[in-house]
Amino acid sequence: MTKPPVNPKVVRVPKEIEQLFDDPPLVGDELRDSYNAVFSILAAAVKPADAIQWMYFDDVVYSTWEIQRVRKIKAAYINLLLTKVAEARFAWTTADYVRQMRLAEKIIDGKLKMEEVKPKPEPEPEDPATSLAKAYLLGLDDIEAFDKQIALFEARRNNALRELAWHCETTARKLDKASRDIIDGEFTEATK
Amino acid sequence: MSSDRKIAANRNNAKKSTGPRSNAGREASRRNALRHGLAIAIGSDPALHDDIEKLAKLLTSSSGIQKVNEFARAAAEAEYDLLRIRKIRTSLFETHYFADTTAPDGLTNLNVKLAKLARYERRALSRRKRALRLM
């Protein structure tokens, strides 16, 4: 049995809909406690009142979590690409191998001594902006796909917030009408 | 509007296509609709029937309606559909990224699959939104 997603001291999820929040979308090393913390902070700020509000609230939490995850993966991916860019700078090219072969031939022929061979010069230091640009070029399609995912979930979060506002407004309007009907009803009865 | 000549030509051309002929082709095409099951309506799953009804009742009471209507059911179905899609999304992350975080090829696959999944998620979201507004 999984523990309830929200700290009961902060905001209580109605028992009837607890099932919807039972299985948060966690992957890899993501912690349930971290998810619960995001859930609790947002729940305390919003205080959803009914099932519809809880549903939209869950969309907001889910989108927030996804944005966070994709951002982390994007950052890790760029770091991986930077490593590849650095490795490529130090990697041996075909020209290096040809040069090495020629040197070996000269040593065998006795035209060159081992001690006279100079090691391959270190590559010139590269400024971080150039390395980053190379990394972006290397994984442009995937980085763009991550950005699209982030934009998608930002749009979904905003959409959920808009629907939440619409629902609250409609509920308030209905409540207002119902209470006015009761007041009007009582007034009509009283005048009779 | 297509002309009669065009309709007749389309019908004639359609008769020429008889689908896959080899056993391997037939074997491959018979599973075309069974890739992930996301196109199947979740309401047809008997295991979820009670949960959907329960949620539909809750949604109904949330919007101050007395009786559960078709829109409440549609909204509940869409919500369960979203939960199903989210589970698939997490499993994609597990398989294509967290299984080996040093393999960029996995990420390309992941992005392709996530883009496909986003289409189903978008549909479920708009189904739920429409149903909740019509309730």
Side-chain angles (χ1 to χ4, degrees):
Chain A
M1 183 72 192
T2 48
K3 64 178 179 179
V6 174
N7 181 353
K9 282 178 192 165
V10 185
V11 176
R12 200 182 290 266
V13 179
K15 239 191 160 86
E16 307 85 51
I17 50 167
E18 240 176 24
Q19 193 195 345
L20 297 178
F21 309 102
D22 251 2
D23 194 12
L26 303 177
V27 290
D29 53 0
E30 291 173 355
L31 298 172
R32 181 147 188 163
D33 282 346
S34 314
Y35 188 86
N36 288 350
V38 174
F39 197 100
S40 303
I41 291 165
L42 294 179
V46 180
K47 294 189 182 70
D50 58 39
I52 296 178
Q53 286 187 24
W54 273 108
M55 235 158 56
Y56 283 124
F57 168 76
D58 186 41
D59 280 5
V60 175
V61 177
Y62 173 69
S63 303
T64 310
W65 190 257
E66 286 293 322
I67 291 167
Q68 230 178 3
R69 175 193 296 152
V70 178
R71 275 188 188 156
K72 274 184 203 162
I73 293 177
K74 184 185 155 188
Y77 181 53
I78 291 171
N79 275 334
L80 182 73
L81 293 174
L82 280 171
T83 317
K84 283 191 184 299
V85 168
E87 279 170 3
R89 283 180 57 228
F90 290 94
W92 276 48
T93 60
T94 314
D96 291 327
Y97 285 111
V98 170
R99 177 180 162 269
Q100 203 69 6
M101 257 170 52
R102 284 188 185 143
L103 286 174
E105 280 167 7
K106 280 182 185 172
I107 292 168
I108 292 165
D109 294 345
K111 290 175 187 167
L112 190 72
K113 285 181 184 166
M114 247 331 228
E115 300 79 44
E116 288 168 1
V117 177
K118 286 176 190 164
K120 188 195 168 198
E122 288 279 311
E124 289 288 311
E126 198 171 67
D127 75 301
T130 311
S131 300
L132 193 63
K134 282 182 183 170
Y136 264 81
L137 277 176
L138 207 60
L140 202 59
D141 289 344
D142 286 319
I143 292 171
E144 198 188 348
F146 286 132
D147 286 338
K148 272 186 191 166
Q149 287 281 322
I150 293 168
L152 181 79
F153 278 99
E154 274 169 358
R156 279 185 189 167
R157 186 179 57 178
N158 292 340
N159 205 26
L161 290 171
R162 255 197 313 274
E163 286 306 305
L164 194 61
W166 185 86
H167 173 70
C168 290
E169 209 178 286
T170 313
T171 312
R173 228 181 294 131
K174 278 181 186 168
L175 196 63
D176 181 40
K177 189 183 175 296
S179 59
R180 274 174 198 278
D181 286 349
I182 291 167
I183 295 165
D184 289 347
E186 277 177 5
F187 180 72
T188 318
E189 274 174 21
T191 51
K192 277 178 188 171
Chain B
M1 186 80 186
S2 303
S3 66
D4 289 345
R5 211 175 128 224
K6 205 170 185 180
I7 292 168
N10 280 340
R11 282 185 184 149
N12 272 337
N13 287 336
K15 274 178 197 165
K16 287 176 198 163
S17 168
T18 50
R21 288 173 193 187
S22 69
N23 282 340
R26 283 182 180 157
E27 193 59 31
S29 69
R30 67 189 278 250
R31 291 201 181 85
N32 277 352
L34 295 171
R35 268 182 227 153
H36 42 58
L38 284 172
I40 301 166
I42 203 162
S44 59
D45 185 350
L48 285 171
H49 180 264
D50 289 350
D51 292 332
I52 288 170
E53 276 302 309
K54 216 167 91 181
L55 183 60
K57 271 182 201 159
L58 275 168
L59 296 177
T60 305
S61 64
S62 293
S63 39
I65 306 166
Q66 299 295 319
K67 219 175 147 193
V68 177
N69 59 24
E70 56 176 310
F71 299 117
R73 263 187 214 105
E77 274 182 27
E79 176 65 15
Y80 273 96
D81 224 358
L82 281 171
L83 292 178
R84 175 170 69 166
I85 291 165
R86 284 172 192 177
K87 271 185 191 155
I88 294 172
R89 198 178 149 84
T90 53
S91 72
L92 284 179
F93 272 108
E94 287 285 5
T95 323
H96 294 282
Y97 179 67
F98 288 96
D100 184 6
T101 52
T102 56
D105 294 350
L107 277 178
T108 308
N109 278 336
L110 174 72
N111 281 325
V112 170
K113 286 185 193 292
L114 287 181
K116 281 181 187 168
L117 198 63
R119 210 169 52 210
Y120 289 96
E121 204 170 5
R122 194 171 57 237
R123 281 183 200 159
L125 280 168
S126 47
R127 264 205 326 269
R128 191 188 65 182
K129 179 182 164 182
R130 202 176 333 121
L132 285 174
R133 284 201 174 214
L134 289 170
M135 245 165 66

